[in-house]
Amino acid sequence: MSALTPLFAPRSVAVVGASRTPGKLGAALARSLDGFAAAGGRLALVNGRDGTMYPSLAAAAADGPVDLAMICVPAPACPGVLAEAVAVGVGAAVICAGGFAEAGGPGVGYQDELAAVVRDSGIRLLGPNTSGFLVPPRALTASFVPGAASVQAGRVAVVAASGGVNHALAFLLAEAGHGISLAVGLGNGVDVTAPDVLAHLATDASTGAVALHVESVADGPALVEAVATLVPHKAVVALVVGRNDVAEFAASHTGALATSWRITRAALAQAGAVLVDDERELVDAVGALSVTRAAPAVDPGVGVVTAQAGPGLLLLDELRGRCARVPALTEATQATLATLLPPLTFQRNPVDTGRPGPEFGAVLSAVSEDPRVDVIAGFALYEPDAVDLAAVVEEGRRTNVPVVLGVGGTGTDVLRCRADLISVGVAVATSPHGVAVASGAVLADARHRARIGGTPDPVEVSVAGPLDESQAKDLLDTLGIATMPRRACADRAEARAALAELGGPVAVKLLDATVLHKTEIGGVALGIRDSAELESALDALETAGACRFLVERMAPGGVDLVVGARRDAVFGPIVLVGLGGTTAEAVADVSVRLAPLTAGEAALMPAELAGRALLEGWRNGPSLDPAALGEVVARLGGVLAAAPDLAEIEVNPLRLTDDGLVALDAVVLHRKAADARPRQ
Amino acid sequence: MSALTPLFAPRSVAVVGASRTPGKLGAALARSLDGFAAAGGRLALVNGRDGTMYPSLAAAAADGPVDLAMICVPAPACPGVLAEAVAVGVGAAVICAGGFAEAGGPGVGYQDELAAVVRDSGIRLLGPNTSGFLVPPRALTASFVPGAASVQAGRVAVVAASGGVNHALAFLLAEAGHGISLAVGLGNGVDVTAPDVLAHLATDASTGAVALHVESVADGPALVEAVATLVPHKAVVALVVGRNDVAEFAASHTGALATSWRITRAALAQAGAVLVDDERELVDAVGALSVTRAAPAVDPGVGVVTAQAGPGLLLLDELRGRCARVPALTEATQATLATLLPPLTFQRNPVDTGRPGPEFGAVLSAVSEDPRVDVIAGFALYEPDAVDLAAVVEEGRRTNVPVVLGVGGTGTDVLRCRADLISVGVAVATSPHGVAVASGAVLADARHRARIGGTPDPVEVSVAGPLDESQAKDLLDTLGIATMPRRACADRAEARAALAELGGPVAVKLLDATVLHKTEIGGVALGIRDSAELESALDALETAGACRFLVERMAPGGVDLVVGARRDAVFGPIVLVGLGGTTAEAVADVSVRLAPLTAGEAALMPAELAGRALLEGWRNGPSLDPAALGEVVARLGGVLAAAPDLAEIEVNPLRLTDDGLVALDAVVLHRKAADARPRQ
C-alpha cells in the first residue's frame, strides 16, 4: 500500500465528462476503461448532459466509493470538478486537459487553483496536461490513446515527464517484446511527480526495472533520493531531454524552466541510474535490466560471443566505444573453448563460434564461468536448423552471469525465439548495436551499485569573506590541497623581501578580494627572477590598481585542470572537473557531480573527460592519480556543502605536475559576491 | 546488363557440394534455392557421392549452361572446383567456406590460388568467407541462412563487407517494413568488391537506395569513384566499422589490415554518402532514402510537426544535435496554421498539433509549402479514431518535400499504417529518434548533392626539396597563403640587420631543413625586442646547433589552427583541419577530406570541429571566414595532389587573427624524409 494506491490501484474509477461521441477524449477514455470494468473494477461514467450516465460525481459516489476520478472537462472547469471530487471522498484524480501553466495566460491561474485544492485536501492529482497512465497487470488503461489497452503486462515501469512520451515508450517496449507494469505520463506535475511514482514502484512487486524520462526537475534532491532508494532493488534507466537548446518549445510544453541537462544527468547517474541517449537505447537498456542484473562490480568485464564475425565486430566496436572492458579470457576458458570450436575461429574474446551450432550454449556457459566475465554480450543469426538458441542457452547456463543475446532474423518464429529467451531470463536485442546498448546498461548498473552508498568525509569549516587569493589559498591549505609557497605583501618592501626569501622565479599578482579577473586588467606578472624584473612588475601592477601584492614561487610545468564547487538552483552543491584552456571550455569537456561526495566517487570524474589522455602521461608528461584528484574535489564539495554562505570555490588552474597536483589560483565567493559576478 | 549479371541475375545456378543432410551448408543452400527453381530458374545440384545429383559441374553444364556456381566445399578443394567452373563456361561463382586469408596458414595460399584462377579466366567470384547474397525480386536466395528466403522484395540494396552483417541488415530492414532489391556480403573480396556491386546497382532499376557496410578498403579511389557516380541517381548510406580499436579481431575476420575509420568516413561523405553510426541508424536512413529524397540544397531546413509535444521535444533535441536547421516558419505559414490549430499550441516550428486530428494532413501540407522547409519530420501516436494518418497525409501532399513520419503504436494495424505511408512515398519510423535519424539522412543527402561535383582549381607547382622553414613559407607565399615578414639569415650579422629592418618583437628560429622539431631542442626564441635579447637568443640557438637563423616579425594574438595535407596509404592525398593545442589533439578534434578538393568543399571543414566555437568570435576574439580557410586548405591539398614527390605539408600553427589567417610555421616533407620521420 503506497500513497499512490488510489491512483494506480483503484477499485473504482469515475470518468467525469464521459462521452459517447467518438473522437472525444471522454469517449476514448471511457472505452479504454472497458477492460477495467470487464476485469471486475467499478467504472462510473459521469456527464450531466447525458441521461444514460451519472449526472454528477456526487451521484456516482452515492452508489459506492470512487477511488479515482478521470476528469475530462476543459481547463476552466477542472478546479471545480477537482473540489467536487474532494468533497465526495475521491482519493485520486487525473486531469488530461491542456490549457494550464504550459499555455500561459489564464491557464496559470487554473493550475494554481488545482494546486490549492491539492494542498488543502491531500487528494492525489496526476496532471494536468497528460494522456494518463496504464497498469496492464490490472487491466487498467487510464489513457485516451486507443492502442494503450493492447500493451501487455510485464516487468517494465515507465515514468515519463510527458504523456505522449509515456505512450511512445510503452509502445516501443511492447514492440520489443517487453510488457509493462505501470506506465505514467506526469504532464504538468502539479502534485504527483517522478519521485512520488518511484517511491510507489519500490512497493510494486511486478516492476523489475524503471524507464525514467526527464524534461525538467522541480526538486533535485527529492529526485536523487528517490532514485538512490530504488536502485538497490530495481534498476532505473534515465533519458534526459535537453542536450541541445530546446528551451523555447519546452516552455510551451510544460511551463517549466529548463533544467541543466548536464547536471541532471550527472545527478541521476550518481544516484545509480543508467543513462541513455535516446528512446531506443532506453528500450534496450530497461528491457534488459527488467530481465537480468549483474552482481555489483567496480570494473566488470564483458564476454563477447558471436556466431558471425561481422556482427561481432560491430558489437565489439560499439562496446569499446562505451568503454566496456572486454578482457582476454583465462587460459582455462580458452582451453575449454578449443574443445568446443574449430581451430579457425577467434577464441580469446570475442569468441567467434563460426556459425550458430549445438555447441553455442556450451560456449556461452564456458565464457560465463570465466572469472573475468561479469556479463555476456552475444549475437547470432536465427538458424533453427543449426541450433535451438533458447533451448541451448537455457540448458547451458550454469552461472548467474547475465546474458544479452542479439537474434538476427525476421518473422514470427524469430519473435517467438526472442520471447522464449526473455522467459528464461536472457535479455534480447535485434541488432549488434542493441546488444551493445543493453549489455552496456547491465555493466553500468553493476558499476553504479558497486559504487553508491559511501559516506562523504565531513568537512568542518567556517569561511568569513570576502577572501583574497592568498586567503583562498590558506583555505586550500587547511583542506590539504597543495599550493606554492607564497607571501601576501602589504607594500613594495614586503614584495622585495618575499622575492629574496622565496627565490625566483616568482609570480607577482595584484592582491584584492574585490578583483575577480586579475589577468584581464594586467594584475598578474609571471616568471619574475630578479629585482629589476620585480620593480618593473610592481610598477605595472600599481598602474593596474594594486595596493597589495601576492608573491608566489612559480610552479613547475604540467597539465592544467579546472576544479570547482558551486551551487545549482535545482540540485544544490555540485563539483566540476575540467581541463584547462579554451579548447576544453569550448567543447564543454567537464565532469559534474553533486556534493558532498566521497573521494572515491570524485576519483571517477577525470575518466569522463574527452581529453583524459592529457592526464595519462601525454607525451611523457605527468600522470594523474585519480584518487588524489578525488580527494581535492571531495574536499571542495564538502566545504560548499558545509558552508551555506559560500557560493563558489574555483581552483583554476589546478596543475598536474610530476610532483602531483598544485593549486595555482583560487577564488572563493560568498553568496552576495557571486550574485554580483558577471557570468560568462 | 552489367558485368555482374551472371552473379546477381543468373538463369541457372549449380550448387557444388549440395547435400541432403540437414544442418550442412550444401543442404541449406540447396533448400534456399528452391524458390529460384520454383520461379522457373534452373537449379542443378552437384555431389559426386550422391547418385541423385549431378556427379560434377561438367555433367551439370552438359545439360545446359550454368551461369552461377555456388561452391560449398572445404577451402582446400575450392580452387580446383573454381577452375572446373571456368572450364565448363560458368560465368560467376560464390564460395561460402572460410579458411582462407582470414585464417592464416595454408588458407592464404588457397586464397592466392582463387585469385589466380579469377585473374586468368575473368570468372566473377563472390567470397570466399561469405554467406552469399539474396535477390528477392528474382526469388533468388543464394544464401545458407534459412530466413533469408522470407525477406520481401523492395527498394533497398545492401552491400556489406561481411556475410553476417549482410543478413543482419536485411533482416532489420525487413522488420522495419522495407524490402530488399539485392543484399550481398562480400567476405574476403578476392574479386567482387563494393565498387563492383555499386556499379552494378547503378543499372538496377529496382534499387532506390544503398546501405553500404565497410570494414576495410582495399582501393580507396575506386570506392570513392563508385559512390560519387551512384549518388546522383541513388542515395548511399554508409556504416563504417572501426571507430575504436578492433584491429586484432578484425584481422581474424577478413585478413585485411585496418583502414582508417576517420579517413574512410570522410572520403565516403565527400563522395556523397550519408554516414550513420550504427545498424539501426542505417536502417532508418536508407529506408527513408529508398522512399524519398529531397532536392539538392546547400543548407536545407526541416519543418517539425508533432501531434504530441513530448515526443516532439525529443525529436527537436535530436535534430539540433545533428545540426539540422529548424527555421522559424514564415508569417504566411504561421497564419495558415492558426486557421487549422487551436491557439494553445506552438506553431512556429516545431508545430504542435496538440493531438492527431483530421487537420494533420493540412498542417503537414502547409508546412511543406513553406519556402524555408525542405524536409518534414513528424511524429504522431497512432489514433485511428482521431485520424487516418496515411489517408490525410497522402491527400494533403501538394509538394515534393519529403515527409518522414514517426508513428507510435503497437500491433498489426500500426504496422499496416506504416506500410501504407511507405506505399504513398512517406518515410516512416517508430520513434522520435528514428524520425531524427531518417530526416537527418534526407537532409544530409540533399546537402551532399548540392555540394558534390565542383572541379578543384588546378595547382601547378614544382617543389624541390628539402625545404627549410623559410623556403616552406616561400611556397606558402606563392600559394597566396599569408605569412609574416621574415628574413633568412646566414649569420648573426644578418640576424641583427633583420631585427633592425623588421623591428621588434620578432621570433628568431634555427633554420635547417633537416631539423623537424625546433621547439623541442631549444631552437625557437619568441618576442625578441632589442639587441640584448637578440644576442642572448642567438647564443642559445647556436648552442642548440643553429648555423642559420630565421628572423620573423611576431604575429598578433589569435586562435591557432593546424592545417595540413598528407598521403593516406588507401585513399591518397588528404587534407586536415584541426584546432591547435594539446587538448584538441587529445580529443582528436580534426576534419579530414580527400584532395584535391574545391575551396568550397574545404570551407565546410571547420564547422565539423567540436571546438568550432573558438573560431566564431570566442570571447570577443576573431571570427573565421570559412571561405578563406577553404582557400588555404584547397591549395595545400592541390599542391600535394600535383606534386607526387611531396609527402606532407603542415602549417602549424595557422593563426586566426583579427586581420585574417597567417601561417606561423610550416613544414614541407618530401617522400623520403617523411618515411624517415618518427611518427607520434
Side-chain angles (χ1 to χ4, degrees):
Chain A
M1 183 81 181
S2 98
L4 297 185
T5 297
L7 180 64
F8 294 136
R11 289 152 303 177
S12 54
V13 180
V15 179
V16 183
S19 169
R20 301 206 189 273
T21 308
K24 286 219 166 194
L25 288 192
L29 250 177
R31 204 178 57 185
S32 292
L33 286 161
D34 279 350
F36 176 68
R42 180 183 173 221
L43 177 60
L45 304 183
V46 178
N47 187 328
R49 283 173 294 191
D50 183 326
T52 69
M53 302 183 185
Y54 285 108
S56 65
L57 248 184
D63 273 3
V66 172
D67 290 335
L68 170 62
M70 302 293 303
I71 300 178
C72 302
V73 301
C78 284
V81 173
L82 188 67
E84 187 186 351
V86 168
V88 301
V90 171
V94 177
I95 297 180
C96 294
F100 293 89
E102 86 285 359
V108 176
Y110 305 146
Q111 185 156 324
D112 288 344
E113 291 177 50
L114 293 179
V117 175
V118 167
R119 195 169 52 237
D120 296 343
S121 67
I123 191 172
R124 301 314 304 258
L125 172 63
L126 180 68
N129 191 23
T130 174
S131 42
F133 68 91
L134 37 153
V135 191
R138 297 179 177 271
L140 174 59
T141 311
S143 153
F144 58 75
V145 180
S150 69
V151 171
Q152 70 268 32
R155 290 176 53 75
V156 178
V158 177
V159 183
S162 135
V165 171
N166 178 49
H167 285 83
L169 291 176
F171 292 142
L172 286 173
L173 283 158
E175 289 203 298
H178 293 290
I180 297 292
S181 59
L182 167 70
V184 56
L186 299 167
N188 290 10
V190 162
D191 173 36
V192 174
T193 59
D196 298 326
V197 181
L198 294 174
H200 171 78
L201 291 172
T203 70
D204 180 37
S206 62
T207 297
V210 181
L212 180 64
H213 163 255
V214 178
E215 288 181 353
S216 67
V217 179
D219 183 341
L223 180 63
V224 165
E225 171 70 20
V227 170
T229 302
L230 190 55
V231 162
H233 311 292
K234 303 166 198 286
V236 176
V237 182
L239 173 64
V240 181
V241 187
R243 183 189 294 258
N244 306 286
D245 181 12
V246 293
E248 192 188 16
F249 182 47
S252 81
H253 168 32
T254 63
L257 293 174
T259 311
S260 159
W261 177 84
R262 185 183 297 274
I263 296 172
T264 304
R265 296 242 307 177
L268 289 169
Q270 197 173 342
V274 174
L275 302 178
V276 290
D277 287 335
D278 62 60
E279 317 92 71
R280 289 193 296 198
E281 289 199 5
L282 182 60
V283 167
D284 289 324
V286 79
L289 285 165
S290 74
V291 171
T292 184
R293 285 180 104 176
V298 172
D299 186 20
V302 60
V304 179
V305 178
T306 184
Q308 288 87 19
L313 197 57
L314 286 169
L315 173 53
L316 178 67
D317 197 12
E318 185 83 23
L319 282 169
R320 288 218 199 282
R322 290 164 184 271
C323 298
R325 200 165 55 80
V326 186
L329 299 176
T330 63
E331 298 286 329
T333 305
Q334 292 192 44
T336 304
L337 292 173
T339 67
L340 297 168
L341 293 172
L344 295 181
T345 66
F346 198 86
Q347 296 168 13
R348 271 167 288 177
N349 197 10
V351 178
D352 176 6
T353 69
R355 265 187 85 187
E359 74 291 345
F360 198 78
V363 169
L364 284 182
S365 182
V367 176
S368 71
E369 286 174 330
D370 190 299
R372 297 175 187 167
V373 169
D374 299 278
V375 175
I376 288 189
F379 186 86
L381 293 176
Y382 179 67
E383 298 195 30
D385 291 352
V387 60
D388 178 343
L389 276 178
V392 301
V393 169
E394 186 179 13
E395 284 163 22
R397 296 188 77 190
R398 293 194 294 268
T399 68
N400 287 324
V401 167
V403 177
V404 180
L405 188 59
V407 181
T410 182
T412 52
D413 290 350
V414 178
L415 294 178
R416 195 173 310 115
C417 172
R418 292 185 193 132
D420 289 347
L421 285 164
I422 289 177
S423 72
V424 298
V426 173
V428 300
T430 61
S431 68
H433 178 251
V435 176
V437 172
S439 52
V442 175
L443 291 165
D445 176 66
R447 278 195 302 266
H448 285 334
R449 282 182 295 133
R451 177 177 54 73
I452 54 181
T455 305
D457 290 336
V459 174
E460 285 183 30
V461 67
S462 153
V463 188
L467 304 190
D468 64 31
E469 181 179 339
S470 189
Q471 293 164 324
K473 286 178 171 171
D474 292 343
L475 173 62
L476 299 186
D477 291 340
T478 66
L479 296 171
I481 299 170
T483 57
M484 296 303 293
R486 68 180 169 280
R487 298 291 179 270
C489 307
D491 53 32
R492 295 180 73 123
E494 288 187 18
R496 290 175 197 123
L499 174 60
E501 190 181 1
L502 296 171
V506 296
V508 184
K509 307 184 191 179
L510 174 156
L511 192 59
D512 185 336
T514 67
V515 175
L516 295 172
H517 298 288
K518 294 183 285 286
T519 305
E520 284 80 340
I521 62 164
V524 177
L526 299 178
I528 303 302
R529 291 160 196 278
D530 54 33
S531 301
E533 289 179 4
L534 179 65
E535 295 305 327
S536 137
L538 293 173
D539 289 347
L541 290 176
E542 285 182 349
T543 305
C547 303
R548 300 170 63 241
F549 309 100
L550 179 68
V551 178
E552 180 171 284
R553 190 175 292 155
M554 291 290 290
V559 182
D560 286 348
L561 291 148
V562 180
V563 303
R566 64 175 71 144
R567 290 181 199 282
D568 179 70
V570 173
F571 287 98
I574 61 169
V575 289
L576 303 96
V577 171
L579 290 166
T582 51
T583 302
E585 203 174 342
V587 302
D589 189 16
V590 64
S591 171
V592 183
R593 290 286 191 286
L594 303 192
L597 76 172
T598 64
E601 174 78 34
L604 300 172
M605 297 173 73
E608 295 175 0
L609 299 177
R612 59 187 172 272
L614 286 179
L615 304 174
E616 295 164 355
W618 181 260
R619 301 212 172 138
N620 302 318
S623 286
L624 177 69
D625 172 9
L629 181 65
E631 290 288 350
V632 169
V633 173
R635 287 169 199 171
L636 295 179
V639 170
L640 212 75
D645 54 326
L646 281 191
E648 182 174 346
I649 306 178
E650 185 177 85
V651 181
N652 179 11
L654 176 72
R655 181 167 292 173
L656 171 63
T657 74
D658 287 329
D659 300 325
L661 295 163
V662 58
L664 301 195
D665 197 358
V667 172
V668 177
L669 295 182
H670 287 69
R671 278 196 152 170
K672 267 201 184 152
D675 291 346
R677 185 188 193 189
R679 309 299 304 184
Q680 275 147 348
Chain B
M1 181 84 180
S2 99
L4 297 185
T5 296
L7 180 63
F8 293 135
R11 289 152 303 175
S12 55
V13 179
V15 179
V16 184
S19 169
R20 301 205 189 275
T21 308
K24 287 218 164 196
L25 288 192
L29 250 177
R31 203 178 57 184
S32 292
L33 286 161
D34 279 349
F36 176 69
R42 180 185 172 218
L43 176 61
L45 304 183
V46 178
N47 186 329
R49 284 171 295 191
D50 182 325
T52 68
M53 302 183 183
Y54 286 107
S56 67
L57 250 184
D63 273 5
V66 173
D67 289 336
L68 170 63
M70 302 293 303
I71 301 178
C72 303
V73 301
C78 283
V81 174
L82 188 66
E84 187 186 349
V86 169
V88 301
V90 171
V94 177
I95 296 181
C96 294
F100 292 89
E102 86 286 359
V108 177
Y110 305 144
Q111 186 157 325
D112 288 345
E113 290 177 51
L114 294 180
V117 175
V118 168
R119 194 170 52 237
D120 296 345
S121 67
I123 190 172
R124 300 316 302 258
L125 173 63
L126 180 68
N129 191 24
T130 175
S131 42
F133 68 91
L134 36 154
V135 191
R138 295 179 179 272
L140 173 59
T141 311
S143 153
F144 57 76
V145 179
S150 69
V151 171
Q152 69 268 31
R155 290 176 54 75
V156 178
V158 178
V159 184
S162 137
V165 172
N166 178 49
H167 284 82
L169 291 176
F171 292 143
L172 285 174
L173 283 157
E175 289 203 297
H178 292 290
I180 297 293
S181 57
L182 167 70
V184 57
L186 299 167
N188 290 9
V190 162
D191 173 36
V192 174
T193 58
D196 298 326
V197 180
L198 295 175
H200 171 79
L201 290 171
T203 69
D204 179 38
S206 62
T207 297
V210 181
L212 179 64
H213 163 255
V214 178
E215 287 180 353
S216 66
V217 178
D219 183 341
L223 180 63
V224 166
E225 172 68 22
V227 170
T229 303
L230 190 54
V231 163
H233 311 292
K234 300 167 202 284
V236 176
V237 182
L239 173 64
V240 180
V241 187
R243 182 190 294 258
N244 305 286
D245 180 12
V246 293
E248 192 188 17
F249 182 47
S252 81
H253 169 32
T254 61
L257 293 175
T259 312
S260 160
W261 176 82
R262 186 183 297 274
I263 296 171
T264 304
R265 297 241 307 179
L268 288 169
Q270 198 173 341
V274 174
L275 302 178
V276 290
D277 286 335
D278 62 60
E279 317 92 72
R280 289 191 296 197
E281 288 198 5
L282 182 59
V283 167
D284 289 324
V286 79
L289 285 164
S290 75
V291 172
T292 184
R293 285 180 103 175
V298 171
D299 186 20
V302 60
V304 179
V305 178
T306 185
Q308 288 86 20
L313 196 57
L314 286 168
L315 173 53
L316 178 66
D317 197 11
E318 185 82 24
L319 283 168
R320 289 221 197 280
R322 292 166 181 270
C323 300
R325 200 164 56 80
V326 185
L329 300 176
T330 61
E331 298 286 329
T333 305
Q334 292 191 45
T336 304
L337 291 173
T339 68
L340 297 168
L341 294 172
L344 296 181
T345 67
F346 198 87
Q347 295 169 14
R348 271 166 286 176
N349 197 9
V351 178
D352 176 6
T353 69
R355 267 187 84 187
E359 75 289 347
F360 199 78
V363 170
L364 285 182
S365 182
V367 176
S368 70
E369 287 175 330
D370 189 299
R372 298 175 185 166
V373 169
D374 299 278
V375 175
I376 287 190
F379 185 85
L381 295 175
Y382 179 68
E383 299 193 32
D385 290 352
V387 60
D388 178 344
L389 276 177
V392 300
V393 171
E394 185 179 13
E395 283 164 23
R397 295 189 78 189
R398 293 194 293 268
T399 69
N400 288 323
V401 168
V403 177
V404 180
L405 187 59
V407 181
T410 181
T412 50
D413 288 351
V414 178
L415 295 177
R416 193 173 313 117
C417 173
R418 294 187 192 130
D420 288 347
L421 285 164
I422 289 177
S423 72
V424 298
V426 173
V428 299
T430 62
S431 69
H433 178 252
V435 176
V437 172
S439 51
V442 175
L443 290 165
D445 176 66
R447 279 194 301 266
H448 286 336
R449 282 182 294 135
R451 179 177 52 74
I452 54 180
T455 305
D457 290 336
V459 174
E460 285 183 30
V461 67
S462 151
V463 188
L467 303 190
D468 64 31
E469 180 178 338
S470 189
Q471 293 164 324
K473 286 178 171 171
D474 291 344
L475 173 62
L476 298 186
D477 291 340
T478 66
L479 295 171
I481 299 170
T483 57
M484 296 302 294
R486 67 180 171 278
R487 298 293 179 268
C489 306
D491 53 33
R492 294 180 72 123
E494 287 188 18
R496 290 176 197 124
L499 173 61
E501 189 181 359
L502 295 171
V506 296
V508 186
K509 307 184 191 180
L510 172 158
L511 192 58
D512 184 337
T514 67
V515 175
L516 295 173
H517 298 289
K518 293 183 287 285
T519 305
E520 284 80 341
I521 61 165
V524 177
L526 299 178
I528 304 301
R529 289 160 198 279
D530 54 34
S531 300
E533 290 179 4
L534 179 64
E535 295 306 324
S536 141
L538 293 173
D539 290 346
L541 290 175
E542 285 181 349
T543 305
C547 302
R548 299 171 62 242
F549 310 100
L550 178 67
V551 177
E552 181 170 284
R553 189 175 294 157
M554 291 290 290
V559 182
D560 285 349
L561 292 148
V562 181
V563 303
R566 62 174 73 142
R567 290 181 199 280
D568 179 71
V570 172
F571 288 97
I574 60 170
V575 288
L576 303 96
V577 172
L579 289 166
T582 52
T583 302
E585 202 173 343
V587 303
D589 189 15
V590 63
S591 171
V592 183
R593 290 286 192 285
L594 304 191
L597 75 172
T598 63
E601 174 77 34
L604 301 172
M605 298 175 74
E608 296 175 359
L609 299 177
R612 58 187 172 273
L614 286 178
L615 304 173
E616 296 163 354
W618 182 260
R619 297 204 175 146
N620 301 318
S623 286
L624 177 69
D625 172 9
L629 181 65
E631 291 287 350
V632 170
V633 173
R635 286 169 197 170
L636 295 179
V639 171
L640 211 76
D645 55 329
L646 280 192
E648 182 174 345
I649 306 179
E650 186 177 84
V651 181
N652 180 11
L654 176 72
R655 181 167 292 172
L656 171 63
T657 74
D658 286 330
D659 299 327
L661 295 163
V662 58
L664 301 195
D665 197 358
V667 172
V668 176
L669 295 182
H670 287 69
R671 277 195 152 169
K672 268 200 182 153
D675 292 345
R677 185 191 195 190
R679 308 299 303 188
Q680 277 148 349

